[in-house]
Amino acid sequence: MGSAKISCSTSQQQQNVYDTQVVLNVYDLTPINNYTYWVGFGIFHSGIEVHGKEYGFGAHDFPVSGVFEVEPKNCPGFFYRSSIVLGRINMPSSEFRTFIESAASEYHGDTYNLISKNCNHFTNDISSRLIGKHIPGWVNRLARLGALCSCLLPESLQATTVKQLPEYHDCTEDGTDSPSTTTPRESIEILETDLLLSPTAGEVAFVKEAGEVAFVKEANR
């Protein structure tokens, strides 16, 4: 009888350890949002926060993962606006890692599209898979409107251009980083348009489909 209670208590403790919030962190891409936000419009970037890390989706020119992780509420190059608790999941961090790496195979950097497959589409998809709930409509409203009248959008907003070539740094066992010996296929160029995700400072880690994580730093200019 006593052992059964101990077993039940241990199981409950494990579930509590695995329990975590699913949070949407929203960023402004432009100060103009301070005026347009109140009428339901704006240009936003969003990331999904789970187990103390925030995951987003960005663009580059290669058929490899465009999913990256950063410290929550601290995505380089954007202005943090707010956080929205979407729900909770009970999932070990290792299981979630497997999940996000699997999702990364569906979000290659060269498939990023401002109208049909942007960072907010990514967070909406991840939220739907994890908790069966969509992100608030206002976060990606501009893309939905653009899908209805994409022919009216300036070509400059639909094309990508190379911004900078970052250096990859591998994470060593002691937590420090060292220059990577990755192949050219892994030397991903960060791209941007006026509205395209383009981290410009700090350190981000791209989630690789094979389960490896490479730390990216800006190249010295």
Side-chain angles (χ1 to χ4, degrees):
M1 193 74 175
S3 61
K5 289 183 178 180
I6 293 175
S7 177
C8 181
S9 176
T10 302
S11 176
Q12 186 174 8
Q13 288 176 356
Q14 289 178 337
Q15 288 183 349
N16 291 338
V17 170
Y18 299 152
D19 183 75
T20 185
Q21 286 186 327
V22 178
V23 180
L24 185 76
N25 293 326
V26 182
Y27 300 78
D28 292 324
L29 272 70
T30 169
I32 295 175
N33 284 2
N34 291 328
Y35 303 98
T36 60
Y37 171 79
W38 302 108
V39 292
F41 286 95
I43 306 171
F44 303 102
H45 165 71
S46 65
I48 202 90
E49 179 184 344
V50 181
H51 282 302
K53 287 290 183 181
E54 179 179 318
Y55 299 85
F57 173 50
H60 55 67
D61 246 352
F62 298 90
V64 292
S65 170
V67 176
F68 63 90
E69 67 178 50
V70 294
E71 290 301 312
K73 307 176 186 178
N74 195 33
C75 187
F78 303 107
F79 307 98
Y80 170 74
R81 169 173 284 277
S82 62
S83 294
I84 302 167
V85 177
L86 299 173
R88 306 188 72 89
I89 58 172
N90 196 293
M91 180 185 293
S93 57
S94 58
E95 184 179 333
F96 175 78
R97 188 70 189 185
T98 299
F99 164 81
I100 201 68
E101 288 173 355
S102 176
S105 66
E106 303 172 33
Y107 286 90
H108 289 172
D110 63 344
T111 66
Y112 186 105
N113 183 283
L114 177 65
I115 301 301
S116 62
K117 195 174 184 178
N118 63 34
C119 56
N120 301 319
H121 290 107
F122 168 76
T123 54
N124 185 64
D125 183 31
I126 298 301
S127 177
S128 296
R129 296 190 197 188
L130 289 176
I131 60 174
K133 183 178 180 180
H134 294 292
I135 67 173
W138 58 266
V139 177
N140 206 28
R141 182 169 292 149
L142 189 66
R144 294 201 305 275
L145 291 176
L148 297 176
C149 53
S150 60
C151 59
L152 303 179
L153 288 177
E155 186 175 344
S156 61
L157 296 185
Q158 302 183 50
T160 58
T161 56
V162 176
K163 181 188 178 187
Q164 60 189 352
L165 180 63
E167 294 177 349
Y168 268 95
H169 288 246
D170 292 330
C171 186
T172 60
E173 291 183 1
D174 61 359
T176 60
D177 57 294
S178 60
S180 173
T181 56
T182 54
T183 64
R185 180 174 182 268
E186 295 172 323
S187 297
I188 297 175
E189 294 172 322
I190 298 297
L191 310 177
E192 71 167 357
T193 66
D194 290 341
L195 305 180
L196 188 63
L197 168 64
S198 180
T200 57
E203 191 174 85
V204 300
F206 278 84
V207 177
K208 293 189 175 182
E209 299 164 49
E212 299 175 1
V213 178
F215 285 85
V216 184
K217 287 186 177 179
E218 288 185 286
N220 294 326
R221 291 293 181 179

